[in-house]
Amino acid sequence: MSNARSITVLLASTWAFLICFAVWMMFGVIGIPLRDELHLNATEFGLLTATPVLTGSLFRLPLGIWTDRVGGRILMTLLLLICAVPLYFASYANALWQFLLLGLALGLVGASFSVGTPYVARFFPTNQRGFAMGVFGAGTAGAALNMFVAPALMGAYGWQAVPRAYAAALLVSAVLFWFLSAPDPGAGRGGASLSEQLAVMRDRRVWKYCQYYSIVFGGFTALSIWMPQYFVSEYGFSVAQAALLAACFSLPGGLLRAVGGMLSDRFGAHNVTWWVLWAAWIALFLLSYPHTDFSIRTVDGSRQFTIALTPWMFTPLLFIVGVTFAFGMASTFKYIGDEFPESMGAVSGLVGMVGGLGGFLLPIMFGSLRDWLGFNSSCFMLLYGIVSVSLFLNYLTEVRRAPVMGRPLNA
């Protein structure tokens, strides 16, 4: 396979995934006016925005397996064409149950990740797969694209224009992808059988990577959905302003994934994962602290104090979390590419499914915590706890087993 052809396939696949991810995150923006129109509480809003993520997550495993058998080119094209139909009809929905039902259907675009990841990886040698999968994964910048495009369409034509425009974008992308891509070189050519592919799920490493991905990708997806309304609720910004600031999280979280892939190729998946988890842990600790007003009794009376993150302090910390999650997504799939080259479709499908389920459950949990506790930063408290679990797991399974002073620990 020529290098030029490989790059063309990579770029065409990345573009298709970019559009799919923008569609997948659509309700995070149009859900804000729908929340008022349908009189939703925070939990219902979380369910509305997360419903497309559920279907995309559940279908990642079967589509990952099918990619190994029938090829990524065919499956990606079919996904783009089929999902345009429910997406268009979403512009005519006027009740919560209708949005949930159509969201389940159009959410299938989220499974495009487990189609494209093994597909593009097969066009590159092993020492470049981290980079290739990182570039493809940069299609998650579609979340940021959604932050720019959806508010502009809503402001000019109403929220109904967003699903209609996105449906047209899926159709155009399907045509472009088919003519720019190439037949999958690994489709149906030996490799692991279906039973062998499923057997790798008994490997404990797979489930460890599922846990990592549930926070880096699940957290990225959930925050991409949740942040526009967070800025509206916490700081009183307009939808357009909130979406612009939320893009400070989702844009680097998408584009820098390719950098994370290159770092993983150079320094190894473990080193990148370990340090990005620590950086996320610190940033999430600071983001977790709620706006607090308190008084201290002094000799001259009482004094009032406030501890709170202004938007200009909050946004850079959110940017750091976006960068760490981007690197973590890339390093997790570097693990998979290195350790399960013959079952990449099945393993990446399973890991992607669990990560996507995290992206489905977290917005609902964010809404439930907000309804229960009554303050916005509770979502970061939850993420802080999950990252703590990931750090502990990484330490037990990898750091503690690493060589010390040039000798294994059990020497």
Side-chain angles (χ1 to χ4, degrees), residues 93-118:
N94 54 24
L96 178 59
W97 71 268
Q98 295 173 347
F99 285 107
L100 295 180
L101 186 62
L102 290 167
L104 287 173
L106 65 89
L108 193 62
V109 292
S112 58
F113 179 75
S114 61
V115 175
T117 299

Side-chain angles (χ1 to χ4, degrees), residues 1-12 120-129 131-132 135 180-182:
M1 184 66 63
S2 69
N3 186 61
R5 190 57 169 165
S6 299
I7 295 298
T8 302
V9 168
L10 177 60
L11 294 178
V120 300
R122 286 192 273 262
F123 284 87
F124 291 85
T126 302
N127 64 342
Q128 295 179 2
R129 283 183 178 173
F131 166 75
V135 171
L180 293 176
S181 60

Side-chain angles (χ1 to χ4, degrees), residues 64 68 117-118 121-122 129 133 197 333 336-337 340-349:
D68 286 343
T117 299
R122 286 192 273 262
R129 283 183 178 173
M133 290 187 291
Q197 286 181 311
F333 273 83
I336 295 170
F340 302 98
E342 298 301 321
S343 302
M344 280 190 62
V347 177
S348 65

Side-chain angles (χ1 to χ4, degrees), residues 179-191:
F179 285 104
L180 293 176
S181 60
D184 193 329
R189 295 187 180 179

Side-chain angles (χ1 to χ4, degrees), residues 171-248:
L171 294 176
V172 172
S173 297
V175 175
L176 290 174
F177 176 78
W178 181 259
F179 285 104
L180 293 176
S181 60
D184 193 329
R189 295 187 180 179
S193 66
L194 179 60
S195 59
E196 289 172 334
Q197 286 181 311
L198 295 176
V200 300
M201 297 176 194
R202 293 194 294 267
D203 193 314
R204 286 182 294 179
R205 293 173 298 171
V206 173
W207 296 101
K208 179 177 67 175
Y209 304 149
C210 285
Q211 201 283 330
Y212 292 165
Y213 208 61
S214 70
I215 179 59
V216 292
F217 179 76
F220 172 80
T221 302
L223 289 179
S224 295
I225 294 171
W226 197 252
M227 282 301 98
Q229 71 83 34
Y230 187 101
F231 279 106
V232 171
S233 176
E234 181 75 5
Y235 298 112
F237 290 119
S238 68
V239 174
Q241 292 170 327
L244 182 62
L245 289 172
C248 293

